[in-house]
Amino acid sequence: MSANDMLLDFTSPGAIPPDPVEETRRVVNEIQTKMQALEALLENEQVKDVAGWKLLAMFYLATDRTNDLDKIEKQYKSITGSSLSAGLEQKYAKWFNRGAAINTPVVFEIPQKITAETLPDSVIIQHNDSAPYSILLDFSKVQEIDNEGLKKLAKLFSSLIQKKNKPELKQIDRFITCLQNKAEANTGTRLIWDVLFAYARFRNNRETFEESAIKFATLYGISPPSWE
């Protein structure tokens, strides 16, 4: 199916909780509490089985908590006499060696239909500039997006504008082209323009931003957002 033929459904509301931001924060806090309890249990009980330690390490890696990762590496080594990284798959073990170049990115596959729940949280994507790994958002499968997905995607792009290490975006051009076609034909929603403006800023493409701003002003008869 070509980009011009691709139909994106902007009307399907999906199963959106009353306050997705608050719900996400609650879940993250619960997970953090459980991971802290797991760490205390593993250390206090001198657990040598690597399964619990691997789970804890994956959580600290995903949230870029390198200090905590260093701490449990030392704890595990003091208990077992071996390195925790030795018990992990090779691609994850590389993350412990922050002095080495990491070529394998952390991949987030964006599903066929984008909703607020299917997009990764900005707190995960906004990893430290010194993090030893890259992040890739794969848009290869995307065919639909609802209004809440548009809102979150615009916020995600906006939150990454000033980041030094920006995530890679795989096959997003087709998706952005579909959004542009919908926006310019006035067959979509104003939320599409928010995504297009945020994406142009994310790419630091002022020319594209200004072209979109002219089209927006012509279509709606109001002033578009400024580059700044």
Side-chain angles (χ1 to χ4, degrees):
M1 184 176 292
S2 69
N4 290 333
D5 293 332
M6 183 66 68
L7 296 178
L8 302 180
D9 183 0
F10 298 110
T11 62
S12 177
I16 308 299
D19 188 345
V21 174
E22 187 62 32
E23 182 68 11
T24 299
R25 186 179 295 112
R26 182 187 65 79
V27 171
V28 170
N29 289 338
E30 288 182 359
I31 294 175
Q32 289 176 340
T33 299
K34 291 184 181 297
M35 290 299 102
Q36 291 171 354
L38 176 60
E39 180 182 343
L41 175 65
L42 294 172
E43 182 183 14
N44 294 337
E45 298 299 325
Q46 300 286 294
V47 177
K48 294 185 178 182
D49 181 63
V50 74
W53 292 97
K54 286 173 65 176
L55 175 62
L56 192 60
M58 290 301 99
F59 173 72
Y60 288 154
L61 285 169
T63 54
D64 195 36
R65 296 169 61 171
T66 55
N67 290 337
D68 289 324
L69 187 60
D70 289 338
K71 182 174 68 174
I72 66 169
E73 165 74 354
K74 294 176 182 178
Q75 291 171 346
Y76 182 80
K77 191 168 186 178
S78 68
I79 294 172
T80 66
S82 61
S83 171
L84 177 58
S85 61
L88 298 175
E89 296 179 15
Q90 184 177 5
K91 65 178 181 179
Y92 295 125
K94 290 180 180 179
W95 290 5
F96 281 81
N97 183 9
R98 283 178 289 280
I102 303 300
N103 296 319
T104 303
V106 179
V107 178
F108 290 90
E109 292 188 359
I110 311 301
Q112 183 176 8
K113 180 176 181 178
I114 298 178
T115 65
E117 291 82 3
T118 60
L119 289 171
D121 293 323
S122 58
V123 69
I124 296 176
I125 303 301
Q126 289 177 349
H127 59 296
N128 292 338
D129 289 337
S130 59
Y133 55 88
S134 61
I135 288 180
L136 184 147
L137 303 181
D138 187 352
F139 285 77
S140 303
K141 298 179 181 179
V142 174
Q143 294 185 19
E144 301 177 63
I145 185 169
D146 66 15
N147 286 339
E148 295 301 321
L150 286 167
K151 290 179 184 178
K152 186 169 181 179
L153 187 59
K155 290 180 180 178
L156 180 60
F157 285 145
S158 295
S159 70
L160 298 172
I161 291 173
Q162 301 300 326
K163 294 298 292 181
K164 179 180 179 181
N165 290 341
K166 296 180 180 179
E168 298 179 60
L169 304 178
K170 181 180 179 181
Q171 293 194 19
I172 194 173
D173 290 343
R174 171 185 58 84
F175 172 65
I176 293 297
T177 297
C178 291
L179 291 183
Q180 289 173 335
N181 291 339
K182 282 282 188 179
E184 293 173 15
N186 198 23
T187 56
T189 169
R190 283 274 301 275
L191 293 172
I192 300 176
W193 289 99
D194 292 337
V195 175
L196 295 176
F197 287 132
Y199 179 72
R201 291 192 188 99
F202 168 78
R203 288 296 198 190
N204 196 29
N205 192 332
R206 187 157 191 164
E207 181 178 354
T208 296
F209 181 92
E210 292 177 349
E211 290 176 355
S212 295
I214 293 173
K215 294 175 182 177
F216 176 89
T218 301
L219 184 62
Y220 291 104
I222 60 176
S223 298
S226 65
W227 173 259
E228 290 74 18

